[in-house]
Amino acid sequence: MKNISIDVETFSSVDLNKCGVYRYCSSPDFEILLFGYSIDHGPVKTIDLASGEMIPEEILKVLTDPSVTKWAFNCNFERVCLSTYLRRKYPRYFKSYSSPEDTVGDYLDPTSWHCSMVWSAYLGLPMSLAQVGAVLKLEDQKMTEGKDLIRYFCTPCKPTTSNGGRTRNRSSDAADKWAVFKSYNIRDVEVEVAIQERLKKYPVPDSVWDEYRIDQMINDRGTRIDMQLVKNAIAIDAKTHDAYMEEMTELTGLENPGSVQQLKGYLAEQGVETDTLGKKQVAALINEAPDHVKQVLELRQQTAKSSIKKYQTMERAVCPDGRIRGMFQFMGAPRTGRFAGRLVQLQNLKRNSMPDLAEARELVRTGNYAALEMLYDSVPEVLSELIRTALVPKPGYKFYVADYSSVEARTLAYLAGEQHTMDSFARGEDIYCATASAMFHKPVVKHGINGELRQKGKIATLACGYGGSVGALKAMGALDMGLKEEELQPIVTAWRKANPHVVRFWWDVDKAAMKAVREHTATEVRGFRFICKSGMLFITLPSGRMLSYVQPRIGINQFGSDCITYMGLDSTRHWNRVQTYGPKLVENITQAVCRDILCNAMKNLQETFICAHIHDELVIECKESVSLDEICDRMGQTPDWIPGLILRADGYTCDFYMKD
């Protein structure tokens, strides 16, 4: 036996979608109902565990045999579920892969587990078993009855008179449905095997499977949560919300000022017309409304803040040992292969800028609502800034936070051959500060004079780097940050004039990709190889990884010019034909290379306890004896596959996660 493909059907009273698989499996009532498997792509069998059947001993041994590759679609689910199953039912077969100091010991070693969902994502396909089967036009498709059957057998049900007051449905409660459910389990394995067969001409490189193993270790390790802070933040928000609603009721006379329709009616009576009460619309109305209406709208803003939802997610998803696991999705970004966030969504945390962050945190942690209300203008704003501080290292450790300095700007300049920008980085200059200085005609120093303008320079640099013009600057908040409309086009023009090699790179990439698609041939630009074959456009990156575009064609864009189109997930997350062009391909390439650089750092630091990563940043649990400089030096090492790129990683230590 070389491979085994697995699919399990399970039950737990914990909501999988809201809490994640790690918390789901930790429930005392978690159990595996069906175990479907295929050995070396042979006939599929299903073991009806719910009805008393048992997994054969040879299969139990295989689950921890490093010489046998275990396959599943989203195999993190199968691996974590089977880890819990073995620990509870067959502890003699369970093997830990953790060291005593680490926190990943309760799960099977991910080294010999491969994920066909990752394989699909690597080739630009959807990350859904049903969608992949449909796109590949497999003979056997995922059964559409599955969702209803999962809802029936795998989740709790409400007790009613008709069901005898039971809180869950078992196999004996609906024999006909159970028979179909077993067929569904078999079909899922058959579809998974068919996907592997269809994709075998384009295997995932071993280096990417190594990255996946590290990703699974980070997900298994998880991040400790300060639950005292979380619980008190939720309680304080409830008090604040009630106080704001009471004040709004007094000001408006409405029965329910939280109702959008009622509030819109009140505003109309005050002469303020609006179709929506979205965040941006309310902010715009505040600037124009009379004072008594402005006060109501400001209260609406405060009650509509969504930051409390992250605290609620932490409370739901935390495991019994106080850690949240499974917060990162490998290959979650379809075009670049970058990671995506799950559960708490660490990638979109609010930046903390409070000078008294630690003091405010302690007030929330101790539930001192009166002091918060007295000292701060907006309690919800304080709670929003404190979200990231709910992540804490385990006792006796600190967080070592290290991130790359301007990694996208460095990488783009290197890939395009923009020498003056590379020279600027070599001299240790800050590209965002230099851009902001030119924009605002004053010196800008990071963490120094006019340092608050650096973020505006960063936005302009990133907006222009991938073909963006005035619209891109606006989309990134240029007007909200104080830039004037008439300043925007000159900024774009000046940036492009100062970076001719980047501009040339956009259009060289555009021509190379168009030629590859039009002529079904291989082309090359600055070391990037473009080849169109077997209904795919591949772009080979310096790391050896490939970007994949499904069913590429030459189409016509909105300007009447030729462009490349391909099948992919559109802005609505539907599988449709999508347009692209040179600057957008350069954006994909640059961000993909930056992703590979971060993964290289993870490999360099894999023996440390990496517990989180946010964009181009690593969060590591370390003992205080560890050298921060050494961590940053190892993270900043230039990968062998991109010689000459100058990287720099900066870092700091903290007792709770924060932005330095």
mmCIF file with all atom_site columns, all heavy atoms in Angstrom, residues 325-338:
data_model
loop_
_atom_site.group_PDB
_atom_site.id
_atom_site.type_symbol
_atom_site.label_atom_id
_atom_site.label_alt_id
_atom_site.label_comp_id
_atom_site.label_asym_id
_atom_site.label_entity_id
_atom_site.label_seq_id
_atom_site.pdbx_PDB_ins_code
_atom_site.Cartn_x
_atom_site.Cartn_y
_atom_site.Cartn_z
_atom_site.occupancy
_atom_site.B_iso_or_equiv
_atom_site.pdbx_formal_charge
_atom_site.auth_seq_id
_atom_site.auth_comp_id
_atom_site.auth_asym_id
_atom_site.auth_atom_id
_atom_site.pdbx_PDB_model_num
ATOM 1   N N   . ARG A 1 325 ? -7.154 27.115 17.418  1.00 0.00 ? 325 ARG A N   1
ATOM 2   C CA  . ARG A 1 325 ? -6.396 26.451 16.364  1.00 0.00 ? 325 ARG A CA  1
ATOM 3   C C   . ARG A 1 325 ? -7.136 26.548 15.032  1.00 0.00 ? 325 ARG A C   1
ATOM 4   O O   . ARG A 1 325 ? -8.332 26.775 15.003  1.00 0.00 ? 325 ARG A O   1
ATOM 5   C CB  . ARG A 1 325 ? -6.156 24.982 16.726  1.00 0.00 ? 325 ARG A CB  1
ATOM 6   C CG  . ARG A 1 325 ? -5.313 24.802 17.984  1.00 0.00 ? 325 ARG A CG  1
ATOM 7   C CD  . ARG A 1 325 ? -5.160 23.332 18.359  1.00 0.00 ? 325 ARG A CD  1
ATOM 8   N NE  . ARG A 1 325 ? -4.116 23.158 19.359  1.00 0.00 ? 325 ARG A NE  1
ATOM 9   C CZ  . ARG A 1 325 ? -4.303 23.279 20.669  1.00 0.00 ? 325 ARG A CZ  1
ATOM 10  N NH1 . ARG A 1 325 ? -5.511 23.564 21.136  1.00 0.00 ? 325 ARG A NH1 1
ATOM 11  N NH2 . ARG A 1 325 ? -3.302 23.113 21.519  1.00 0.00 ? 325 ARG A NH2 1
ATOM 12  N N   . GLY A 1 326 ? -6.383 26.368 13.947  1.00 0.00 ? 326 GLY A N   1
ATOM 13  C CA  . GLY A 1 326 ? -7.019 26.336 12.633  1.00 0.00 ? 326 GLY A CA  1
ATOM 14  C C   . GLY A 1 326 ? -7.357 27.705 12.080  1.00 0.00 ? 326 GLY A C   1
ATOM 15  O O   . GLY A 1 326 ? -8.358 27.851 11.377  1.00 0.00 ? 326 GLY A O   1
ATOM 16  N N   . MET A 1 327 ? -6.542 28.711 12.333  1.00 0.00 ? 327 MET A N   1
ATOM 17  C CA  . MET A 1 327 ? -6.856 30.075 11.895  1.00 0.00 ? 327 MET A CA  1
ATOM 18  C C   . MET A 1 327 ? -6.281 30.426 10.522  1.00 0.00 ? 327 MET A C   1
ATOM 19  O O   . MET A 1 327 ? -6.446 31.550 10.062  1.00 0.00 ? 327 MET A O   1
ATOM 20  C CB  . MET A 1 327 ? -6.371 31.093 12.923  1.00 0.00 ? 327 MET A CB  1
ATOM 21  C CG  . MET A 1 327 ? -7.148 31.061 14.227  1.00 0.00 ? 327 MET A CG  1
ATOM 22  S SD  . MET A 1 327 ? -6.855 32.498 15.282  1.00 0.00 ? 327 MET A SD  1
ATOM 23  C CE  . MET A 1 327 ? -5.175 32.175 15.828  1.00 0.00 ? 327 MET A CE  1
ATOM 24  N N   . PHE A 1 328 ? -5.629 29.452 9.858   1.00 0.00 ? 328 PHE A N   1
ATOM 25  C CA  . PHE A 1 328 ? -4.978 29.767 8.585   1.00 0.00 ? 328 PHE A CA  1
ATOM 26  C C   . PHE A 1 328 ? -5.323 28.726 7.520   1.00 0.00 ? 328 PHE A C   1
ATOM 27  O O   . PHE A 1 328 ? -5.318 27.527 7.790   1.00 0.00 ? 328 PHE A O   1
ATOM 28  C CB  . PHE A 1 328 ? -3.454 29.839 8.770   1.00 0.00 ? 328 PHE A CB  1
ATOM 29  C CG  . PHE A 1 328 ? -3.067 30.747 9.904   1.00 0.00 ? 328 PHE A CG  1
ATOM 30  C CD1 . PHE A 1 328 ? -2.734 30.226 11.142  1.00 0.00 ? 328 PHE A CD1 1
ATOM 31  C CD2 . PHE A 1 328 ? -3.091 32.117 9.742   1.00 0.00 ? 328 PHE A CD2 1
ATOM 32  C CE1 . PHE A 1 328 ? -2.420 31.059 12.202  1.00 0.00 ? 328 PHE A CE1 1
ATOM 33  C CE2 . PHE A 1 328 ? -2.775 32.958 10.787  1.00 0.00 ? 328 PHE A CE2 1
ATOM 34  C CZ  . PHE A 1 328 ? -2.439 32.429 12.025  1.00 0.00 ? 328 PHE A CZ  1
ATOM 35  N N   . GLN A 1 329 ? -5.630 29.209 6.332   1.00 0.00 ? 329 GLN A N   1
ATOM 36  C CA  . GLN A 1 329 ? -5.959 28.352 5.205   1.00 0.00 ? 329 GLN A CA  1
ATOM 37  C C   . GLN A 1 329 ? -4.825 28.374 4.201   1.00 0.00 ? 329 GLN A C   1
ATOM 38  O O   . GLN A 1 329 ? -4.544 29.391 3.581   1.00 0.00 ? 329 GLN A O   1
ATOM 39  C CB  . GLN A 1 329 ? -7.244 28.817 4.527   1.00 0.00 ? 329 GLN A CB  1
ATOM 40  C CG  . GLN A 1 329 ? -7.635 28.012 3.305   1.00 0.00 ? 329 GLN A CG  1
ATOM 41  C CD  . GLN A 1 329 ? -7.915 26.562 3.627   1.00 0.00 ? 329 GLN A CD  1
ATOM 42  O OE1 . GLN A 1 329 ? -8.836 26.276 4.378   1.00 0.00 ? 329 GLN A OE1 1
ATOM 43  N NE2 . GLN A 1 329 ? -7.136 25.645 3.078   1.00 0.00 ? 329 GLN A NE2 1
ATOM 44  N N   . PHE A 1 330 ? -4.162 27.251 4.025   1.00 0.00 ? 330 PHE A N   1
ATOM 45  C CA  . PHE A 1 330 ? -3.065 27.134 3.075   1.00 0.00 ? 330 PHE A CA  1
ATOM 46  C C   . PHE A 1 330 ? -3.601 27.301 1.655   1.00 0.00 ? 330 PHE A C   1
ATOM 47  O O   . PHE A 1 330 ? -4.643 26.756 1.303   1.00 0.00 ? 330 PHE A O   1
ATOM 48  C CB  . PHE A 1 330 ? -2.406 25.764 3.244   1.00 0.00 ? 330 PHE A CB  1
ATOM 49  C CG  . PHE A 1 330 ? -1.111 25.591 2.504   1.00 0.00 ? 330 PHE A CG  1
ATOM 50  C CD1 . PHE A 1 330 ? 0.050  26.181 2.958   1.00 0.00 ? 330 PHE A CD1 1
ATOM 51  C CD2 . PHE A 1 330 ? -1.042 24.828 1.341   1.00 0.00 ? 330 PHE A CD2 1
ATOM 52  C CE1 . PHE A 1 330 ? 1.254  26.011 2.293   1.00 0.00 ? 330 PHE A CE1 1
ATOM 53  C CE2 . PHE A 1 330 ? 0.140  24.656 0.657   1.00 0.00 ? 330 PHE A CE2 1
ATOM 54  C CZ  . PHE A 1 330 ? 1.297  25.245 1.138   1.00 0.00 ? 330 PHE A CZ  1
ATOM 55  N N   . MET A 1 331 ? -2.894 28.081 0.835   1.00 0.00 ? 331 MET A N   1
ATOM 56  C CA  . MET A 1 331 ? -3.302 28.345 -0.553  1.00 0.00 ? 331 MET A CA  1
ATOM 57  C C   . MET A 1 331 ? -4.702 28.960 -0.611  1.00 0.00 ? 331 MET A C   1
ATOM 58  O O   . MET A 1 331 ? -5.447 28.764 -1.568  1.00 0.00 ? 331 MET A O   1
ATOM 59  C CB  . MET A 1 331 ? -3.284 27.061 -1.395  1.00 0.00 ? 331 MET A CB  1
ATOM 60  C CG  . MET A 1 331 ? -1.902 26.530 -1.686  1.00 0.00 ? 331 MET A CG  1
ATOM 61  S SD  . MET A 1 331 ? -1.208 27.288 -3.152  1.00 0.00 ? 331 MET A SD  1
ATOM 62  C CE  . MET A 1 331 ? 0.463  26.617 -3.100  1.00 0.00 ? 331 MET A CE  1
ATOM 63  N N   . GLY A 1 332 ? -5.059 29.727 0.419   1.00 0.00 ? 332 GLY A N   1
ATOM 64  C CA  . GLY A 1 332 ? -6.404 30.268 0.479   1.00 0.00 ? 332 GLY A CA  1
ATOM 65  C C   . GLY A 1 332 ? -6.696 31.348 -0.548  1.00 0.00 ? 332 GLY A C   1
ATOM 66  O O   . GLY A 1 332 ? -7.848 31.561 -0.905  1.00 0.00 ? 332 GLY A O   1
ATOM 67  N N   . ALA A 1 333 ? -5.653 32.064 -1.023  1.00 0.00 ? 333 ALA A N   1
ATOM 68  C CA  . ALA A 1 333 ? -5.840 33.080 -2.058  1.00 0.00 ? 333 ALA A CA  1
ATOM 69  C C   . ALA A 1 333 ? -5.617 32.429 -3.414  1.00 0.00 ? 333 ALA A C   1
ATOM 70  O O   . ALA A 1 333 ? -4.502 31.979 -3.714  1.00 0.00 ? 333 ALA A O   1
ATOM 71  C CB  . ALA A 1 333 ? -4.866 34.239 -1.856  1.00 0.00 ? 333 ALA A CB  1
ATOM 72  N N   . PRO A 1 334 ? -6.657 32.359 -4.252  1.00 0.00 ? 334 PRO A N   1
ATOM 73  C CA  . PRO A 1 334 ? -6.590 31.514 -5.452  1.00 0.00 ? 334 PRO A CA  1
ATOM 74  C C   . PRO A 1 334 ? -5.549 31.931 -6.485  1.00 0.00 ? 334 PRO A C   1
ATOM 75  O O   . PRO A 1 334 ? -4.979 31.085 -7.153  1.00 0.00 ? 334 PRO A O   1
ATOM 76  C CB  . PRO A 1 334 ? -8.010 31.602 -6.032  1.00 0.00 ? 334 PRO A CB  1
ATOM 77  C CG  . PRO A 1 334 ? -8.580 32.863 -5.469  1.00 0.00 ? 334 PRO A CG  1
ATOM 78  C CD  . PRO A 1 334 ? -7.970 32.999 -4.118  1.00 0.00 ? 334 PRO A CD  1
ATOM 79  N N   . ARG A 1 335 ? -5.272 33.219 -6.652  1.00 0.00 ? 335 ARG A N   1
ATOM 80  C CA  . ARG A 1 335 ? -4.371 33.637 -7.719  1.00 0.00 ? 335 ARG A CA  1
ATOM 81  C C   . ARG A 1 335 ? -2.898 33.568 -7.326  1.00 0.00 ? 335 ARG A C   1
ATOM 82  O O   . ARG A 1 335 ? -2.036 33.329 -8.146  1.00 0.00 ? 335 ARG A O   1
ATOM 83  C CB  . ARG A 1 335 ? -4.688 35.068 -8.172  1.00 0.00 ? 335 ARG A CB  1
ATOM 84  C CG  . ARG A 1 335 ? -6.010 35.200 -8.884  1.00 0.00 ? 335 ARG A CG  1
ATOM 85  C CD  . ARG A 1 335 ? -5.912 34.838 -10.377 1.00 0.00 ? 335 ARG A CD  1
ATOM 86  N NE  . ARG A 1 335 ? -5.417 33.519 -10.672 1.00 0.00 ? 335 ARG A NE  1
ATOM 87  C CZ  . ARG A 1 335 ? -6.121 32.408 -10.652 1.00 0.00 ? 335 ARG A CZ  1
ATOM 88  N NH1 . ARG A 1 335 ? -7.379 32.438 -10.338 1.00 0.00 ? 335 ARG A NH1 1
ATOM 89  N NH2 . ARG A 1 335 ? -5.572 31.253 -10.948 1.00 0.00 ? 335 ARG A NH2 1
ATOM 90  N N   . THR A 1 336 ? -2.596 33.792 -6.048  1.00 0.00 ? 336 THR A N   1
ATOM 91  C CA  . THR A 1 336 ? -1.200 33.908 -5.621  1.00 0.00 ? 336 THR A CA  1
ATOM 92  C C   . THR A 1 336 ? -0.726 32.750 -4.761  1.00 0.00 ? 336 THR A C   1
ATOM 93  O O   . THR A 1 336 ? 0.475  32.554 -4.609  1.00 0.00 ? 336 THR A O   1
ATOM 94  C CB  . THR A 1 336 ? -1.002 35.205 -4.826  1.00 0.00 ? 336 THR A CB  1
ATOM 95  O OG1 . THR A 1 336 ? -1.803 35.143 -3.629  1.00 0.00 ? 336 THR A OG1 1
ATOM 96  C CG2 . THR A 1 336 ? -1.417 36.417 -5.652  1.00 0.00 ? 336 THR A CG2 1
ATOM 97  N N   . GLY A 1 337 ? -1.666 32.001 -4.172  1.00 0.00 ? 337 GLY A N   1
ATOM 98  C CA  . GLY A 1 337 ? -1.273 30.941 -3.254  1.00 0.00 ? 337 GLY A CA  1
ATOM 99  C C   . GLY A 1 337 ? -1.003 31.438 -1.853  1.00 0.00 ? 337 GLY A C   1
ATOM 100 O O   . GLY A 1 337 ? -0.521 30.686 -1.004  1.00 0.00 ? 337 GLY A O   1
ATOM 101 N N   . ARG A 1 338 ? -1.314 32.712 -1.598  1.00 0.00 ? 338 ARG A N   1
ATOM 102 C CA  . ARG A 1 338 ? -1.104 33.230 -0.247  1.00 0.00 ? 338 ARG A CA  1
ATOM 103 C C   . ARG A 1 338 ? -2.086 32.585 0.731   1.00 0.00 ? 338 ARG A C   1
ATOM 104 O O   . ARG A 1 338 ? -3.082 31.983 0.348   1.00 0.00 ? 338 ARG A O   1
ATOM 105 C CB  . ARG A 1 338 ? -1.288 34.754 -0.227  1.00 0.00 ? 338 ARG A CB  1
ATOM 106 C CG  . ARG A 1 338 ? -0.168 35.520 -0.906  1.00 0.00 ? 338 ARG A CG  1
ATOM 107 C CD  . ARG A 1 338 ? -0.323 37.013 -0.729  1.00 0.00 ? 338 ARG A CD  1
ATOM 108 N NE  . ARG A 1 338 ? 0.907  37.599 -0.218  1.00 0.00 ? 338 ARG A NE  1
ATOM 109 C CZ  . ARG A 1 338 ? 1.089  38.890 -0.014  1.00 0.00 ? 338 ARG A CZ  1
ATOM 110 N NH1 . ARG A 1 338 ? 0.098  39.737 -0.260  1.00 0.00 ? 338 ARG A NH1 1
ATOM 111 N NH2 . ARG A 1 338 ? 2.227  39.348 0.449   1.00 0.00 ? 338 ARG A NH2 1
#
